[in-house]
Amino acid sequence: MTGGIVRTGAIAVGAVVAVALVGGCKAQADGSDGKAHPVRISPTKTDSGGSGDSRGPDDPSGRPERTSTPKPVPKPAPKTLLAPGQRGDQVREMQARLRQIAWFFENPSGTYGSSTTSAVKGFQAKRGLPRTGTTDTVTWQKLVGMTRKPTKYELYSGGGIPASKPDKRCLTGRVMCISKESRTLTWMIDGRTVSTMDVRFGSQYTPTRDGTFTVYWKSRHHVSTLFDTAMPYAMFFSGGQAVHYSSDFAATGYNGASHGCVNVRDKKKIASLFAQVKNGDKVVVYK
């Protein structure tokens, strides 16, 4: 009986070990009490010594982490720099730049009118920009990138350049003070400006002489015998050179030139000047 019992116990212990191994346990014999104790074996634990869930994002049983896609930040709308109705030097510069690339055909005026608005719209449409007619930062940068800084004469192609500082020879007496740099004639009496008007000069081959002269002859209805051209309100100061009204200057502006005379295009101003100037008054022509 004792042997049968022992065998039966051995069989029972063996069965427990087998079940423990199948169930994921291993038997540890010879415990402190001399009995075998089961030890749980994790079927997912590896020998690397790691702990926790080893499933990666590609594991079918795992769930990949969700990442949120950042929303695009909208670009700020271009800032408006110039708009219809405005006036000023920057408007004049914009018109001169548009004129350089044949989008504006008038003389720059510094006034943002309908013709300027149309020119800006055409420029914008050609470059794929919103056709607003206002000049925003994008339009201005595109225009500046295609053009060069306008010269003073481009900015004032129609005239109106502020008069230059008077030559010191103009500060005493009665003087027609004529600046080639600003293309102006300033009528001065004892250093005081009485009136100023646009003028143009001779060409490269028929230049207007520089220097200090005096008016020696006035001819209200003069006609040039050399060129058969009317020279109203002529005031001669150096040989055949005179200050006089020019209808051609009035019609075409600075696109033409004189044969050496000083042309005035404002008929009312030259008529008033002719009435005030006397023979012997000084004429100063300077650069």
Side-chain angles (χ1 to χ4, degrees):
M1 292 297 289
T2 303
I5 294 172
V6 170
R7 285 195 299 271
T8 302
I11 292 172
V13 171
V16 170
V17 172
V19 172
L21 289 173
V22 172
C25 297
K26 68 178 180 179
Q28 179 178 336
D30 299 331
S32 60
D33 56 0
K35 297 180 180 180
H37 298 278
V39 178
R40 174 66 60 182
I41 300 174
S42 173
T44 59
K45 186 180 293 185
T46 65
D47 292 337
S48 62
S51 60
D53 192 349
S54 63
R55 292 174 295 180
D58 293 330
D59 191 320
S61 63
R63 291 183 179 179
E65 293 183 5
R66 292 184 178 181
T67 57
S68 59
T69 303
K71 295 182 179 180
V73 179
K75 294 182 179 180
K79 180 182 177 182
T80 298
L81 299 178
L82 301 169
Q86 286 186 239
R87 299 171 180 265
D89 292 339
Q90 192 172 6
V91 175
R92 186 182 292 275
E93 180 180 347
M94 180 189 66
Q95 292 169 330
R97 287 181 182 272
L98 287 169
R99 183 170 170 143
Q100 288 178 9
I101 53 177
W103 277 107
F104 189 73
F105 300 97
E106 300 177 9
N107 293 315
S109 63
T111 299
Y112 206 128
S114 58
S115 57
T116 303
T117 303
S118 296
V120 172
K121 284 183 178 180
F123 176 81
Q124 290 170 328
K126 183 71 174 180
R127 272 81 204 170
L129 302 175
R131 193 171 178 268
T132 62
T134 61
T135 304
D136 55 32
T137 50
V138 175
T139 302
W140 178 256
Q141 289 167 4
K142 180 70 71 173
L143 178 60
V144 169
M146 296 180 62
T147 55
R148 54 178 169 73
K149 186 173 180 61
T151 66
K152 179 170 56 179
Y153 297 131
E154 287 176 321
L155 292 171
Y156 293 90
S157 59
I161 300 178
S164 298
K165 182 179 180 180
D167 185 279
K168 62 182 181 180
R169 294 169 291 179
C170 301
L171 300 179
T172 57
R174 298 162 56 88
V175 191
M176 284 194 284
C177 194
I178 302 171
S179 168
K180 287 184 174 180
E181 202 248 341
S182 63
R183 300 191 294 199
T184 55
L185 183 158
T186 303
W187 171 233
M188 304 183 70
I189 299 177
D190 295 329
R192 177 178 60 87
T193 297
V194 178
S195 62
T196 301
M197 58 204 74
D198 293 336
V199 293
R200 74 176 182 182
F201 306 96
S203 67
Q204 177 183 356
Y205 304 103
T206 57
T208 303
R209 304 180 189 99
D210 297 340
T212 302
F213 312 93
T214 56
V215 176
Y216 69 89
W217 180 33
K218 295 172 61 179
S219 178
R220 166 65 180 81
H221 302 287
H222 193 80
V223 176
S224 170
T225 56
L226 183 60
F227 301 106
D228 193 27
T229 304
M231 298 170 54
Y233 304 105
M235 294 170 279
F236 289 89
F237 61 87
S238 177
Q241 295 189 353
V243 175
H244 68 84
Y245 171 74
S246 168
S247 58
D248 180 70
F249 183 25
T252 63
Y254 291 98
N255 293 320
S258 74
H259 293 97
C261 288
V262 177
N263 291 164
V264 177
R265 62 178 169 185
D266 190 317
K267 200 168 189 178
K268 289 184 177 179
K269 285 189 175 182
I270 188 67
S272 176
L273 180 64
F274 185 86
Q276 297 175 64
V277 172
K278 303 174 181 178
N279 287 342
D281 285 345
K282 190 161 51 176
V283 178
V284 176
V285 182
Y286 64 103
K287 294 180 180 178

